[in-house]
Each structure stands twice: as C-alpha cells, then as structure tokens.
C-alpha cells in the first residue's frame, strides 16, 4: 500500500511555515509514511527553481526525488524525530494550486484548482501562459483573473497534465462554494466537463457526504492535507495499491481502476467549514438552526457563511 498526499504548499504561499523546503517536506513524509508528495506551488518561479535544483527526474517512473537522498540525521534536523532507518525516499509530483477569480454569468466566481504537471519543462510552458494573466511571484497559490475552464484548457494542451477541483465545498473558494461557486460542474467547465475525472473532498467533507450527491457518482474522490507546514502533511491522504509511474497514478484515478484504493479521512466535523456561522461572532450552526434564523447571524445581523 502506498500513501499519496497530492495537495500541499511551499513557504512561498501565504500563511505557510517558513521551514517549508523540499527536504523538510520529504522528511515529514518519511516519518508519516507518505510515499508520494505533491511539490506544491509549482507555478512559483523561485520554488520551481528550487525544485529544479534539488530534485531529479526519474525516467523510469516519471516521478521526481531528492538529488541528495535523506539520511536519518537529515530527518532529525528537519523534524527533531530520530528514525532507526530511512525505509524509503519520498517521490514528488509537480503540483500547483491556482485561485481563479473571475466573472461568469454576471456573478463573481472564486475557486481553487489543483494542477498536476509531468515535468519541469511543461511546468515552465504552463507558467508562461499563466504569467500573462497575473503575477506568479506574488503567492505560491497565485490569484489569477482566469476562468477555471481556460485553466483546464491549458492543462489539456499539455500531455499528461491534469486539473482537479480543490476542496470542492468550502464556502469562499471552491467550485460548489456557497459564496461564489456553481451548482454544477457543467456550469463551470461546460463542454470540457467530461475531462474532469476526480474531485478533492477537502477537510470539511468526506466521501460518504459527497456520495449523497448522485451528480458526483462518476467522479473519483481524492483527499489531501492542503498542508501549510510539514506537521500537517498527511492529515488526509490517498491510498494506492501500487504506483508504478506518474502516468499510472493518474490513469488509476481516470479509469477508477483497482490501483486506487480510497482515502484516509479526518473527521469532517472538525473542518473549519463543516458548519455554518460567523467565527468572529462565535456562531456555529447546523443547517436546521441556520434555516430557523433565515441564514442571518443573530449577533451581527449579516448573512451567515454557509458551510459544507
Ligand atoms: Zn485552496
Ligand atoms: Zn491549498
């Protein structure tokens, strides 16, 4: 069994740990038994340069790994935990997250999209397109005035690049978010919807909740940590029976084949956006209570944030 955490961040994303280097991420992954890791933030020029300098591409698998393998001492320096031995070297997949903010049908849409890219050369090509739209240096998770459908087109233009909608139910920044989302995937991706094969459930929802929506039946559900520090790696992960290559990893999600086993979940009730409410007003409601209050906060009188 192999564990894969495919949504993480670097120290170049806002509100992330300053320690987030590739060696730090790999060290935490070793301790937690995470075999495959997203690099996070592969749209960020400085981070991509670090990736280029510190990782090496494995022609046989299509994954990246550290040029200088981790030893027990490296791991102890990074995490203060001493392992008896290093039983595996984590492998990396180039991964980024884009915050798409745009108008569609006269409504402002805000959603986060995960992208997976097979190699650094392709990442540079995609980044060049994205850099025409906004500043990739400003944030490891860049905010771009880019329609998510166009981002999907960019991914489809490159062989073996993929887009997966991130934490699909969070209120402020997701495809189904109550504040700025859509009601269906088709509204967002139109004729390209069939190119979407997987959805990230996010920390505040789990597969059984998502499986209540028959519209999502045909999608594979993945879960990741969205870690902003090494300590948070693997709070949710995907389990695979085998992950021979980068291509087979995504093929197993696309074809829902037996290589993909399922996810490890965090209690969704503990997710920041599970319930409705206002944090500053100390209001946290389940849907029945929100309805009773007509979705209005009894403390400040403004509309409640409707959660997952
Ligand atoms: Zn996000
Ligand atoms: Zn994220």
């Amino acid at each position: 069994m192999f564990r894969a955490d495919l949504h993480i961040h670097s120290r170049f994303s806002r509100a992330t740990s300053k320690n987030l280097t590739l060696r730090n991420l790999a060290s935490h992954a070793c301790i937690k038994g995470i075999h495959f890791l997203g690099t996070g933030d592969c749209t960020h020029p400085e981070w991509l340069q670090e990736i280029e300098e510190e990782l090496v591409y494995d022609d046989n698998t299509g994954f990246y790994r550290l040029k200088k393998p981790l030893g027990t001492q490296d791991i102890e320096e990074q995490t203060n935990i001493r392992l008896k031995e290093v039983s595996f070297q984590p492998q990396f997949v180039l991964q980024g997250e884009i915050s798409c903010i745009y108008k569609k049908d006269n409504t402002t849409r805000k959603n986060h999209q995960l992208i997976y890219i097979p190699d650094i050369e392709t990442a540079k090509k995609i980044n060049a397109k994205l850099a025409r739209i906004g500043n990739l240096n400003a944030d490891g998770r860049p905010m771009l005035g880019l329609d998510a459908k166009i981002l999907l087109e960019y991914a489809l233009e490159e062989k073996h690049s993929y887009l997966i909608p991130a934490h699909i139910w969070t209120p402020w920044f997701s495809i189904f978010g109550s504040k700025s989302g859509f009601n269906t995937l088709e509204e967002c991706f139109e004729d390209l919807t069939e190119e979407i094969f997987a959805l990230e459930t996010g920390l505040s929802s789990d597969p059984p909740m998502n499986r209540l929506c028959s519209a999502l039946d045909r999608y594979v559900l993945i879960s990741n940590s969205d870690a902003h520090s090494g300590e948070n790696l693997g709070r949710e992960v995907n389990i695979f029976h085998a992950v021979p290559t980068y291509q087979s990893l995504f093929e197993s999600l696309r074809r829902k084949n037996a290589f993909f086993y399922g996810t490890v979940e965090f209690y969704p009730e503990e997710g920041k956006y599970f319930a409705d409410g206002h944090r500053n007003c100390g209001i946290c409601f389940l849907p029945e209570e929100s309805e009773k209050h007509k979705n209005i906060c009894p403390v400040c009188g403004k509309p409640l944030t409707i959660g997952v």
Side-chain angles (χ1 to χ4, degrees):
M1 288 248 215
F2 296 92
R3 286 169 281 270
D5 188 349
L6 302 174
H7 176 177
I8 63 151
H9 289 281
S10 76
R11 66 183 186 284
F12 295 103
S13 279
R14 227 160 277 179
T16 56
S17 159
K18 291 282 155 285
N19 304 327
L20 280 174
T21 60
L22 291 157
R23 293 189 81 73
N24 180 267
L25 283 165
S27 297
H28 282 281
C30 264
I31 288 172
K32 299 197 174 193
I34 298 164
H35 306 85
F36 297 91
L37 261 186
T39 57
D41 300 357
C42 70
T43 56
H44 193 275
E46 241 178 288
W47 184 241
L48 189 62
Q49 197 184 329
E50 241 173 85
I51 290 171
E52 206 167 1
E53 286 165 6
E54 291 186 32
L55 302 187
V56 48
Y57 183 76
D58 183 337
D59 285 319
N60 294 321
T61 63
F63 290 114
Y64 284 83
R65 57 185 154 73
L66 287 171
K67 262 182 208 166
K68 205 171 132 256
L70 289 172
T72 50
Q73 194 156 356
D74 298 306
I75 294 175
E76 189 173 3
E77 270 166 32
Q78 296 289 345
T79 65
N80 293 323
I81 294 172
R82 177 100 192 160
L83 294 178
K84 269 205 196 110
E85 53 173 10
V86 183
S87 53
F88 67 95
Q89 296 286 330
Q91 305 193 66
F92 287 90
V93 173
L94 293 179
Q95 169 258 315
E97 183 182 27
I98 316 286
S99 182
C100 293
I101 303 180
Y102 56 103
K103 265 220 154 112
K104 188 167 186 179
D105 307 325
N106 275 321
T107 306
T108 300
R109 313 292 181 166
K110 300 181 189 173
N111 49 65
H112 287 183
Q113 306 293 340
L114 298 167
I115 51 168
Y116 298 94
I117 303 176
D119 52 60
I120 290 172
E121 208 175 301
T122 310
K124 286 181 179 169
K125 269 164 81 180
I126 293 180
N127 289 355
K129 289 181 195 170
L130 298 177
R132 277 186 248 135
I133 299 157
N135 182 3
L136 300 183
N137 284 291
D139 194 331
R141 184 188 57 208
M143 276 192 273
L144 300 178
L146 173 64
D147 188 313
K149 189 197 171 190
I150 311 275
L151 180 64
L152 175 58
E153 279 172 15
Y154 289 173
L156 294 172
E157 280 161 18
E158 306 299 334
K159 231 174 158 193
H160 307 308
S161 295
Y162 305 104
L163 178 147
I164 298 182
H167 42 72
I168 57 172
W169 298 103
T170 59
W172 300 97
F173 291 102
S174 78
I175 185 139
F176 298 140
S178 61
K179 289 288 179 188
S180 45
F182 297 95
N183 289 320
T184 64
L185 283 165
E186 287 75 10
E187 284 171 48
C188 180
F189 296 110
E190 301 175 3
D191 54 315
L192 296 180
T193 304
E194 61 187 47
E195 302 291 344
I196 301 293
F197 52 91
L199 303 168
E200 186 192 54
T201 61
L203 298 173
S204 303
S205 84
D206 62 6
M209 288 167 68
N210 282 266
R211 290 299 177 220
L212 294 172
C213 300
S214 58
L216 306 186
D217 284 355
R218 76 174 196 83
Y219 301 97
V220 157
L221 299 173
I222 66 164
S223 289
N224 301 294
S225 68
D226 201 351
H228 289 204
S229 71
E231 288 76 5
N232 278 340
L233 270 187
R235 47 188 179 178
E236 295 199 326
V237 287
N238 307 289
I239 308 240
F240 292 84
H241 282 299
V243 193
T245 63
Y246 170 90
Q247 275 190 46
S248 67
L249 190 161
F250 287 97
E251 276 308 292
S252 65
L253 296 177
R254 275 154 62 97
R255 300 186 193 285
K256 293 189 215 164
N257 73 24
F259 277 171
F260 178 58
Y261 185 78
T263 60
V264 174
E265 298 287 325
F266 169 106
Y267 289 106
E269 296 86 342
E270 290 182 19
K272 191 165 158 193
Y273 297 115
F274 180 80
D276 306 332
H278 275 169
R279 199 171 6 164
N280 291 344
C281 301
I283 294 297
C284 178
F285 285 164
L286 289 174
E288 308 80 67
E289 296 166 280
S290 302
E291 259 169 49
K292 233 187 283 164
H293 288 89
K294 301 196 161 51
N295 292 345
I296 297 297
C297 174
V299 175
C300 70
K302 290 188 192 140
L304 291 169
T305 301
I306 302 302
V308 168

Short mmCIF file of all heavy atoms in Angstrom, two decimals, residues 22 39-59 62-67 92-95 115-129 136 158-161 246:
data_model
loop_
_atom_site.label_atom_id
_atom_site.label_comp_id
_atom_site.label_asym_id
_atom_site.label_seq_id
_atom_site.Cartn_x
_atom_site.Cartn_y
_atom_site.Cartn_z
N LEU A 22 11.96 21.57 0.29
CA LEU A 22 11.70 20.22 -0.23
C LEU A 22 12.23 19.15 0.73
O LEU A 22 11.61 18.11 0.93
CB LEU A 22 12.31 20.07 -1.62
CG LEU A 22 11.57 20.91 -2.67
CD1 LEU A 22 12.46 21.22 -3.86
CD2 LEU A 22 10.28 20.23 -3.12
N THR A 39 4.51 18.64 -4.98
CA THR A 39 5.55 19.61 -4.62
C THR A 39 4.92 20.86 -4.04
O THR A 39 5.58 21.61 -3.33
CB THR A 39 6.31 20.08 -5.88
OG1 THR A 39 5.35 20.62 -6.81
CG2 THR A 39 7.08 18.94 -6.52
N GLY A 40 3.61 21.09 -4.35
CA GLY A 40 3.00 22.37 -4.05
C GLY A 40 3.60 23.45 -4.93
O GLY A 40 4.75 23.35 -5.38
N ASP A 41 2.80 24.48 -5.22
CA ASP A 41 3.29 25.77 -5.72
C ASP A 41 4.23 25.71 -6.93
O ASP A 41 5.13 26.55 -7.04
CB ASP A 41 3.99 26.51 -4.57
CG ASP A 41 3.06 26.78 -3.39
OD1 ASP A 41 1.86 26.43 -3.50
OD2 ASP A 41 3.51 27.31 -2.38
N CYS A 42 3.99 24.77 -7.85
CA CYS A 42 4.92 24.67 -8.99
C CYS A 42 4.75 25.81 -9.99
O CYS A 42 5.49 25.89 -10.97
CB CYS A 42 4.79 23.32 -9.69
SG CYS A 42 3.26 23.13 -10.59
N THR A 43 3.81 26.72 -9.73
CA THR A 43 3.68 27.91 -10.59
C THR A 43 4.60 29.03 -10.11
O THR A 43 4.76 30.03 -10.79
CB THR A 43 2.23 28.45 -10.58
OG1 THR A 43 1.86 28.70 -9.21
CG2 THR A 43 1.27 27.46 -11.19
N HIS A 44 5.18 28.86 -8.92
CA HIS A 44 6.00 29.93 -8.35
C HIS A 44 7.44 29.83 -8.88
O HIS A 44 8.11 28.82 -8.66
CB HIS A 44 5.99 29.85 -6.82
CG HIS A 44 6.54 31.07 -6.19
ND1 HIS A 44 7.89 31.25 -5.99
CD2 HIS A 44 5.93 32.20 -5.74
CE1 HIS A 44 8.08 32.43 -5.42
NE2 HIS A 44 6.91 33.03 -5.26
N PRO A 45 7.92 30.87 -9.59
CA PRO A 45 9.23 30.75 -10.25
C PRO A 45 10.36 30.36 -9.30
O PRO A 45 11.18 29.51 -9.64
CB PRO A 45 9.45 32.15 -10.84
CG PRO A 45 8.07 32.69 -11.04
CD PRO A 45 7.25 32.14 -9.91
N GLU A 46 10.41 30.98 -8.11
CA GLU A 46 11.51 30.67 -7.20
C GLU A 46 11.43 29.24 -6.67
O GLU A 46 12.43 28.55 -6.53
CB GLU A 46 11.47 31.64 -6.02
CG GLU A 46 12.70 32.51 -5.89
CD GLU A 46 12.53 33.46 -4.73
OE1 GLU A 46 11.72 34.41 -4.85
OE2 GLU A 46 13.17 33.24 -3.69
N TRP A 47 10.23 28.82 -6.36
CA TRP A 47 10.03 27.44 -5.86
C TRP A 47 10.35 26.43 -6.96
O TRP A 47 10.99 25.43 -6.73
CB TRP A 47 8.60 27.29 -5.34
CG TRP A 47 8.27 25.96 -4.71
CD1 TRP A 47 7.33 25.08 -5.14
CD2 TRP A 47 8.85 25.37 -3.53
NE1 TRP A 47 7.28 23.98 -4.30
CE2 TRP A 47 8.20 24.14 -3.30
CE3 TRP A 47 9.85 25.78 -2.64
CZ2 TRP A 47 8.51 23.29 -2.24
CZ3 TRP A 47 10.16 24.93 -1.57
CH2 TRP A 47 9.50 23.71 -1.37
N LEU A 48 9.93 26.75 -8.20
CA LEU A 48 10.20 25.84 -9.31
C LEU A 48 11.72 25.73 -9.51
O LEU A 48 12.23 24.65 -9.82
CB LEU A 48 9.50 26.31 -10.58
CG LEU A 48 9.54 25.31 -11.74
CD1 LEU A 48 8.83 24.01 -11.40
CD2 LEU A 48 8.94 25.90 -13.01
N GLN A 49 12.41 26.84 -9.31
CA GLN A 49 13.87 26.80 -9.43
C GLN A 49 14.48 25.89 -8.36
O GLN A 49 15.38 25.11 -8.63
CB GLN A 49 14.43 28.22 -9.30
CG GLN A 49 15.85 28.33 -9.80
CD GLN A 49 16.41 29.73 -9.57
OE1 GLN A 49 15.69 30.72 -9.58
NE2 GLN A 49 17.71 29.79 -9.34
N GLU A 50 13.92 25.99 -7.16
CA GLU A 50 14.40 25.10 -6.09
C GLU A 50 14.13 23.64 -6.44
O GLU A 50 14.96 22.76 -6.19
CB GLU A 50 13.67 25.47 -4.79
CG GLU A 50 14.62 25.92 -3.70
CD GLU A 50 13.89 26.45 -2.48
OE1 GLU A 50 13.51 25.66 -1.60
OE2 GLU A 50 13.71 27.68 -2.43
N ILE A 51 12.97 23.40 -7.00
CA ILE A 51 12.60 22.04 -7.42
C ILE A 51 13.63 21.54 -8.44
O ILE A 51 14.12 20.41 -8.36
CB ILE A 51 11.17 22.04 -8.02
CG1 ILE A 51 10.13 22.29 -6.92
CG2 ILE A 51 10.88 20.74 -8.77
CD1 ILE A 51 8.71 22.53 -7.41
N GLU A 52 13.94 22.42 -9.37
CA GLU A 52 14.89 22.06 -10.43
C GLU A 52 16.28 21.76 -9.85
O GLU A 52 16.97 20.85 -10.31
CB GLU A 52 14.98 23.22 -11.42
CG GLU A 52 15.39 22.78 -12.79
CD GLU A 52 15.17 23.87 -13.85
OE1 GLU A 52 14.70 24.98 -13.53
OE2 GLU A 52 15.49 23.59 -15.00
N GLU A 53 16.66 22.53 -8.84
CA GLU A 53 17.99 22.36 -8.26
C GLU A 53 18.08 21.13 -7.35
O GLU A 53 19.11 20.47 -7.29
CB GLU A 53 18.39 23.61 -7.48
CG GLU A 53 18.77 24.78 -8.39
CD GLU A 53 18.80 26.11 -7.65
OE1 GLU A 53 18.66 26.14 -6.41
OE2 GLU A 53 18.95 27.14 -8.34
N GLU A 54 17.01 20.87 -6.62
CA GLU A 54 17.11 19.86 -5.56
C GLU A 54 16.52 18.50 -5.92
O GLU A 54 16.80 17.51 -5.25
CB GLU A 54 16.44 20.38 -4.28
CG GLU A 54 17.25 21.51 -3.69
CD GLU A 54 16.71 21.94 -2.36
OE1 GLU A 54 16.17 21.10 -1.62
OE2 GLU A 54 16.81 23.14 -2.07
N LEU A 55 15.67 18.47 -6.95
CA LEU A 55 15.05 17.19 -7.31
C LEU A 55 15.62 16.68 -8.62
O LEU A 55 16.12 17.45 -9.44
CB LEU A 55 13.53 17.33 -7.42
CG LEU A 55 12.75 17.84 -6.21
CD1 LEU A 55 11.25 17.74 -6.48
CD2 LEU A 55 13.10 17.09 -4.93
N VAL A 56 15.50 15.40 -8.80
CA VAL A 56 15.94 14.80 -10.05
C VAL A 56 14.80 13.95 -10.60
O VAL A 56 14.05 13.33 -9.85
CB VAL A 56 17.26 14.01 -9.83
CG1 VAL A 56 17.18 13.10 -8.64
CG2 VAL A 56 17.66 13.23 -11.06
N TYR A 57 14.65 13.99 -11.90
CA TYR A 57 13.58 13.27 -12.58
C TYR A 57 13.99 11.82 -12.81
O TYR A 57 15.10 11.56 -13.26
CB TYR A 57 13.30 13.95 -13.92
CG TYR A 57 12.17 13.36 -14.72
CD1 TYR A 57 10.85 13.62 -14.36
CD2 TYR A 57 12.41 12.57 -15.84
CE1 TYR A 57 9.80 13.10 -15.10
CE2 TYR A 57 11.35 12.04 -16.58
CZ TYR A 57 10.06 12.31 -16.20
OH TYR A 57 9.01 11.80 -16.93
N ASP A 58 13.11 10.92 -12.49
CA ASP A 58 13.39 9.51 -12.71
C ASP A 58 12.72 9.07 -14.02
O ASP A 58 11.49 9.00 -14.10
CB ASP A 58 12.85 8.70 -11.52
CG ASP A 58 13.17 7.22 -11.64
OD1 ASP A 58 13.40 6.74 -12.76
OD2 ASP A 58 13.19 6.55 -10.59
N ASP A 59 13.52 8.80 -15.01
CA ASP A 59 12.99 8.42 -16.33
C ASP A 59 12.11 7.18 -16.28
O ASP A 59 11.19 7.04 -17.07
CB ASP A 59 14.14 8.13 -17.30
CG ASP A 59 14.81 9.41 -17.76
OD1 ASP A 59 14.09 10.39 -18.04
OD2 ASP A 59 16.06 9.44 -17.81
N GLY A 62 8.79 8.60 -13.97
CA GLY A 62 8.17 9.90 -14.19
C GLY A 62 7.94 10.68 -12.90
O GLY A 62 7.30 11.72 -12.91
N PHE A 63 8.50 10.19 -11.80
CA PHE A 63 8.42 10.95 -10.54
C PHE A 63 9.74 11.68 -10.31
O PHE A 63 10.77 11.33 -10.90
CB PHE A 63 8.17 10.01 -9.35
CG PHE A 63 6.80 9.41 -9.34
CD1 PHE A 63 6.63 8.04 -9.53
CD2 PHE A 63 5.68 10.20 -9.15
CE1 PHE A 63 5.35 7.47 -9.52
CE2 PHE A 63 4.40 9.64 -9.14
CZ PHE A 63 4.25 8.28 -9.33
N TYR A 64 9.69 12.66 -9.43
CA TYR A 64 10.91 13.35 -9.01
C TYR A 64 11.30 12.86 -7.62
O TYR A 64 10.44 12.46 -6.83
CB TYR A 64 10.67 14.87 -8.97
CG TYR A 64 10.63 15.51 -10.34
CD1 TYR A 64 9.47 15.51 -11.10
CD2 TYR A 64 11.77 16.11 -10.86
CE1 TYR A 64 9.44 16.10 -12.37
CE2 TYR A 64 11.76 16.70 -12.12
CZ TYR A 64 10.59 16.69 -12.87
OH TYR A 64 10.57 17.26 -14.11
N ARG A 65 12.60 12.89 -7.33
CA ARG A 65 13.04 12.58 -5.97
C ARG A 65 14.23 13.47 -5.62
O ARG A 65 14.82 14.11 -6.51
CB ARG A 65 13.38 11.10 -5.83
CG ARG A 65 14.43 10.62 -6.79
CD ARG A 65 14.66 9.10 -6.69
NE ARG A 65 15.17 8.57 -7.93
CZ ARG A 65 16.41 8.74 -8.38
NH1 ARG A 65 17.28 9.43 -7.69
NH2 ARG A 65 16.79 8.24 -9.54
N LEU A 66 14.58 13.52 -4.35
CA LEU A 66 15.69 14.37 -3.92
C LEU A 66 16.99 13.90 -4.56
O LEU A 66 17.28 12.70 -4.56
CB LEU A 66 15.84 14.31 -2.40
CG LEU A 66 14.78 15.04 -1.58
CD1 LEU A 66 14.95 14.69 -0.10
CD2 LEU A 66 14.85 16.55 -1.78
N LYS A 67 17.77 14.87 -5.08
CA LYS A 67 19.07 14.52 -5.64
C LYS A 67 19.95 13.91 -4.56
O LYS A 67 20.65 12.94 -4.77
CB LYS A 67 19.76 15.80 -6.14
CG LYS A 67 19.62 16.02 -7.62
CD LYS A 67 20.35 17.27 -8.08
CE LYS A 67 19.64 17.80 -9.33
NZ LYS A 67 20.03 19.16 -9.68
N PHE A 92 8.16 12.82 -5.65
CA PHE A 92 7.36 14.04 -5.84
C PHE A 92 6.67 14.06 -7.20
O PHE A 92 7.19 13.56 -8.19
CB PHE A 92 8.27 15.27 -5.77
CG PHE A 92 8.76 15.61 -4.39
CD1 PHE A 92 9.96 15.09 -3.91
CD2 PHE A 92 8.04 16.47 -3.57
CE1 PHE A 92 10.43 15.42 -2.63
CE2 PHE A 92 8.50 16.81 -2.31
CZ PHE A 92 9.69 16.29 -1.83
N VAL A 93 5.51 14.72 -7.20
CA VAL A 93 4.75 15.02 -8.41
C VAL A 93 4.66 16.54 -8.47
O VAL A 93 4.33 17.17 -7.46
CB VAL A 93 3.32 14.46 -8.28
CG1 VAL A 93 2.45 14.88 -9.45
CG2 VAL A 93 3.33 12.95 -8.12
N LEU A 94 4.91 17.13 -9.63
CA LEU A 94 4.77 18.59 -9.74
C LEU A 94 3.29 18.95 -9.58
O LEU A 94 2.44 18.45 -10.33
CB LEU A 94 5.28 19.08 -11.10
CG LEU A 94 6.77 18.95 -11.36
CD1 LEU A 94 7.10 19.46 -12.76
CD2 LEU A 94 7.58 19.72 -10.32
N GLN A 95 3.03 19.80 -8.62
CA GLN A 95 1.63 20.15 -8.30
C GLN A 95 1.56 21.62 -7.94
O GLN A 95 2.47 22.17 -7.33
CB GLN A 95 1.18 19.28 -7.12
CG GLN A 95 -0.14 19.67 -6.46
CD GLN A 95 0.06 20.43 -5.16
OE1 GLN A 95 0.88 20.05 -4.33
NE2 GLN A 95 -0.67 21.53 -4.97
N ILE A 115 -3.45 21.65 -10.11
CA ILE A 115 -2.92 21.19 -11.39
C ILE A 115 -1.73 20.26 -11.14
O ILE A 115 -0.97 20.44 -10.19
CB ILE A 115 -2.51 22.34 -12.34
CG1 ILE A 115 -1.61 23.35 -11.64
CG2 ILE A 115 -3.74 23.03 -12.91
CD1 ILE A 115 -0.98 24.32 -12.61
N TYR A 116 -1.63 19.26 -12.00
CA TYR A 116 -0.55 18.27 -11.93
C TYR A 116 0.15 18.26 -13.29
O TYR A 116 -0.52 18.25 -14.33
CB TYR A 116 -1.12 16.88 -11.61
CG TYR A 116 -1.79 16.90 -10.27
CD1 TYR A 116 -3.16 17.12 -10.16
CD2 TYR A 116 -1.04 16.80 -9.10
CE1 TYR A 116 -3.78 17.20 -8.92
CE2 TYR A 116 -1.65 16.88 -7.85
CZ TYR A 116 -3.01 17.08 -7.77
OH TYR A 116 -3.61 17.19 -6.55
N ILE A 117 1.46 18.33 -13.25
CA ILE A 117 2.24 18.53 -14.47
C ILE A 117 3.35 17.48 -14.50
O ILE A 117 3.98 17.21 -13.48
CB ILE A 117 2.80 19.97 -14.46
CG1 ILE A 117 1.64 20.97 -14.35
CG2 ILE A 117 3.63 20.25 -15.70
CD1 ILE A 117 2.04 22.42 -14.25
N PRO A 118 3.58 16.87 -15.68
CA PRO A 118 4.50 15.73 -15.72
C PRO A 118 5.98 16.08 -15.52
O PRO A 118 6.73 15.27 -15.00
CB PRO A 118 4.28 15.13 -17.11
CG PRO A 118 3.73 16.25 -17.93
CD PRO A 118 2.93 17.08 -16.98
N ASP A 119 6.38 17.27 -15.98
CA ASP A 119 7.81 17.59 -15.85
C ASP A 119 8.03 19.09 -15.82
O ASP A 119 7.13 19.88 -16.13
CB ASP A 119 8.61 16.94 -17.00
CG ASP A 119 8.00 17.29 -18.34
OD1 ASP A 119 7.93 18.49 -18.65
OD2 ASP A 119 7.56 16.37 -19.05
N ILE A 120 9.25 19.48 -15.48
CA ILE A 120 9.57 20.90 -15.29
C ILE A 120 9.43 21.70 -16.59
O ILE A 120 8.94 22.83 -16.58
CB ILE A 120 10.99 21.04 -14.69
CG1 ILE A 120 10.95 20.54 -13.23
CG2 ILE A 120 11.48 22.48 -14.73
CD1 ILE A 120 12.29 20.42 -12.56
N GLU A 121 9.81 21.08 -17.68
CA GLU A 121 9.68 21.78 -18.96
C GLU A 121 8.23 22.17 -19.23
O GLU A 121 7.94 23.30 -19.64
CB GLU A 121 10.17 20.81 -20.05
CG GLU A 121 10.73 21.45 -21.29
CD GLU A 121 11.28 20.35 -22.18
OE1 GLU A 121 12.18 19.61 -21.73
OE2 GLU A 121 10.76 20.23 -23.30
N THR A 122 7.32 21.22 -19.00
CA THR A 122 5.90 21.51 -19.20
C THR A 122 5.43 22.56 -18.19
O THR A 122 4.63 23.44 -18.53
CB THR A 122 5.07 20.21 -19.06
OG1 THR A 122 5.66 19.21 -19.87
CG2 THR A 122 3.63 20.42 -19.46
N ALA A 123 5.93 22.48 -16.97
CA ALA A 123 5.54 23.47 -15.96
C ALA A 123 5.93 24.87 -16.43
O ALA A 123 5.15 25.82 -16.30
CB ALA A 123 6.22 23.15 -14.63
N LYS A 124 7.09 25.00 -17.01
CA LYS A 124 7.53 26.31 -17.50
C LYS A 124 6.63 26.81 -18.62
O LYS A 124 6.32 28.00 -18.70
CB LYS A 124 8.99 26.25 -17.96
CG LYS A 124 9.95 26.17 -16.77
CD LYS A 124 11.39 26.13 -17.22
CE LYS A 124 12.30 26.08 -16.00
NZ LYS A 124 13.69 25.79 -16.38
N LYS A 125 6.19 25.89 -19.48
CA LYS A 125 5.29 26.29 -20.57
C LYS A 125 3.96 26.80 -20.02
O LYS A 125 3.44 27.84 -20.43
CB LYS A 125 5.04 25.09 -21.50
CG LYS A 125 6.04 25.04 -22.66
CD LYS A 125 6.05 23.69 -23.32
CE LYS A 125 4.94 23.47 -24.33
NZ LYS A 125 5.05 22.10 -24.92
N ILE A 126 3.42 26.05 -19.08
CA ILE A 126 2.13 26.45 -18.49
C ILE A 126 2.31 27.76 -17.70
O ILE A 126 1.50 28.67 -17.80
CB ILE A 126 1.55 25.32 -17.61
CG1 ILE A 126 1.17 24.13 -18.51
CG2 ILE A 126 0.34 25.81 -16.80
CD1 ILE A 126 0.59 22.93 -17.79
N ASN A 127 3.40 27.86 -16.97
CA ASN A 127 3.65 29.08 -16.18
C ASN A 127 3.76 30.31 -17.08
O ASN A 127 3.32 31.40 -16.70
CB ASN A 127 4.91 28.93 -15.33
CG ASN A 127 4.71 27.94 -14.19
OD1 ASN A 127 3.60 27.44 -13.98
ND2 ASN A 127 5.76 27.66 -13.44
N ALA A 128 4.36 30.13 -18.27
CA ALA A 128 4.49 31.28 -19.17
C ALA A 128 3.10 31.78 -19.57
O ALA A 128 2.87 32.99 -19.66
CB ALA A 128 5.30 30.87 -20.40
N LYS A 129 2.17 30.85 -19.79
CA LYS A 129 0.80 31.27 -20.13
C LYS A 129 0.14 31.97 -18.94
O LYS A 129 -0.53 33.00 -19.08
CB LYS A 129 -0.06 30.05 -20.52
CG LYS A 129 0.34 29.46 -21.85
CD LYS A 129 -0.55 28.28 -22.19
CE LYS A 129 0.05 27.47 -23.32
NZ LYS A 129 -0.62 26.19 -23.55
N LEU A 136 2.85 35.63 -10.88
CA LEU A 136 3.06 34.32 -10.26
C LEU A 136 4.02 34.41 -9.07
O LEU A 136 4.09 33.49 -8.25
CB LEU A 136 3.60 33.32 -11.28
CG LEU A 136 2.73 33.03 -12.49
CD1 LEU A 136 3.37 31.96 -13.36
CD2 LEU A 136 1.33 32.57 -12.06
N GLU A 158 -1.35 20.30 -22.78
CA GLU A 158 -0.08 19.62 -22.50
C GLU A 158 -0.36 18.16 -22.15
O GLU A 158 -1.22 17.87 -21.32
CB GLU A 158 0.64 20.29 -21.31
CG GLU A 158 0.84 21.79 -21.46
CD GLU A 158 1.69 22.16 -22.66
OE1 GLU A 158 2.51 21.33 -23.10
OE2 GLU A 158 1.52 23.28 -23.16
N LYS A 159 0.39 17.28 -22.75
CA LYS A 159 0.22 15.86 -22.50
C LYS A 159 0.43 15.53 -21.02
O LYS A 159 1.38 16.04 -20.41
CB LYS A 159 1.27 15.11 -23.32
CG LYS A 159 0.68 13.99 -24.15
CD LYS A 159 1.75 13.41 -25.04
CE LYS A 159 1.37 12.01 -25.45
NZ LYS A 159 2.50 11.31 -26.05
N HIS A 160 -0.43 14.71 -20.47
CA HIS A 160 -0.28 14.23 -19.10
C HIS A 160 -0.30 15.33 -18.04
O HIS A 160 0.33 15.20 -17.00
CB HIS A 160 0.97 13.37 -18.95
CG HIS A 160 1.05 12.26 -19.94
ND1 HIS A 160 0.03 11.36 -20.13
CD2 HIS A 160 2.03 11.92 -20.82
CE1 HIS A 160 0.37 10.52 -21.07
NE2 HIS A 160 1.56 10.83 -21.52
N SER A 161 -0.99 16.43 -18.34
CA SER A 161 -1.23 17.44 -17.31
C SER A 161 -2.70 17.35 -16.95
O SER A 161 -3.54 17.11 -17.81
CB SER A 161 -0.90 18.83 -17.84
OG SER A 161 0.47 18.92 -18.11
N TYR A 246 4.17 7.95 -12.76
CA TYR A 246 3.33 9.16 -12.74
C TYR A 246 2.07 8.92 -13.57
O TYR A 246 0.96 9.21 -13.14
CB TYR A 246 4.14 10.34 -13.30
CG TYR A 246 3.32 11.59 -13.56
CD1 TYR A 246 3.15 12.56 -12.57
CD2 TYR A 246 2.73 11.82 -14.81
CE1 TYR A 246 2.40 13.71 -12.83
CE2 TYR A 246 1.99 12.96 -15.07
CZ TYR A 246 1.82 13.90 -14.07
OH TYR A 246 1.08 15.04 -14.32
#
